[in-house]
Amino acid sequence: MSTARERILEATGELLATKDALAISTRAICDRAKVGMPEIYRQFGDKQGLLTAAADIGFERFLAAKRQNPLTDDPVADLRTAWDSHVAFALRNPHLYRLMFTPTGDAKPRAITEAQAILLTAVERCRDAGRLRTAPGLAGQSILAANVGVCMMALSFPDLFGDAAVSHAVRDAVIGKVTGDEGEDTRIGTATVLAQALVGTLTGTAAVSGPALEELAGALRPPSDPR
């Protein structure tokens, strides 16, 4: 038989499948879990503690998928695959993803450090293959920040940034920058600017306005895109 804690976390996860964390009430969680309101406070301290625990479970799922990404003889290609799987997870789990990567309050999901460690290992494979231009730590941070930024923009503004071409262009710009594997695609320069803007948005130092972001997104779409 499941414990009260397990039922509360399961109920929270089910509600996150259709609603943003801020829109979920503790009453709704308790009703679904069939527990009294005080149980949340006994188990998690408060609602924020519950949401942090739910985010950690989300990271467990996220990291399990990461560990299943196949490795090939091309570590740079593997970085691109890891990027795409990250985006796919975000699009499948939009409300959970926002909770995981935009936590509120002082409590932060602990598993973010493991996500960084997995990415660092992937970047170090590039270094060992002679395919890295910068320090592995900085390269990993840059890739993760840009990857999260692309996902957040796609979830928040799907009409502008939801096209897979935008994600691929930023992916190739960022990974190409740190590995030296830049292609001939003329969108790479624009994608680099967008990647910098996304990182700035996450850190609160963005210097690119909304209209400018819309213009960048348009520049990244293939010529045949009617939007």
Side-chain angles (χ1 to χ4, degrees), residues 155-203:
L155 294 178
S156 299
F157 307 100
D159 290 342
L160 291 176
F161 299 100
D163 196 309
V166 175
S167 174
H168 293 166
V170 177
R171 176 198 67 191
D172 293 346
V174 175
I175 293 177
K177 184 69 173 179
V178 301
T179 65
D181 190 32
E182 295 183 22
E184 297 299 321
D185 193 334
T186 58
R187 295 176 296 163
I188 291 296
T190 302
T192 300
V193 175
L194 178 56
Q196 293 169 345
L198 293 172
V199 173
T201 299
L202 291 175
T203 60

Side-chain angles (χ1 to χ4, degrees), residues 91-103:
L91 296 179
R92 287 196 306 270
N93 307 277
H95 306 297
L96 176 61
Y97 186 86
R98 287 194 184 95
L99 176 63
M100 290 164 54
F101 285 97
T102 57

Side-chain angles (χ1 to χ4, degrees), residues 23 29 96 134 173 197:
I29 294 170
L96 176 61
T134 188

Side-chain angles (χ1 to χ4, degrees), residues 45-61:
D46 55 20
K47 182 182 178 182
Q48 186 56 52
L50 167 58
L51 292 178
T52 299
D56 278 326
I57 291 177
F59 266 108
E60 289 175 9
R61 290 170 49 195

Side-chain angles (χ1 to χ4, degrees), residues 16 33-34 59 82 97 108 111 117 127 131 135 140 149 158 162 170 173 192 215:
L16 281 169
K34 295 181 171 54
F59 266 108
Y97 186 86
K108 309 295 182 185
R127 177 200 61 195
R131 300 281 298 278
V170 177
T192 300
E215 183 178 349

Side-chain angles (χ1 to χ4, degrees), residues 79 115-116 119-120 123 132 134-146 178:
L79 276 179
Q116 288 180 302
L119 181 54
L120 179 61
V123 169
L132 197 63
T134 188
L138 179 59
Q141 289 174 315
S142 300
I143 293 170
L144 183 57
V178 301

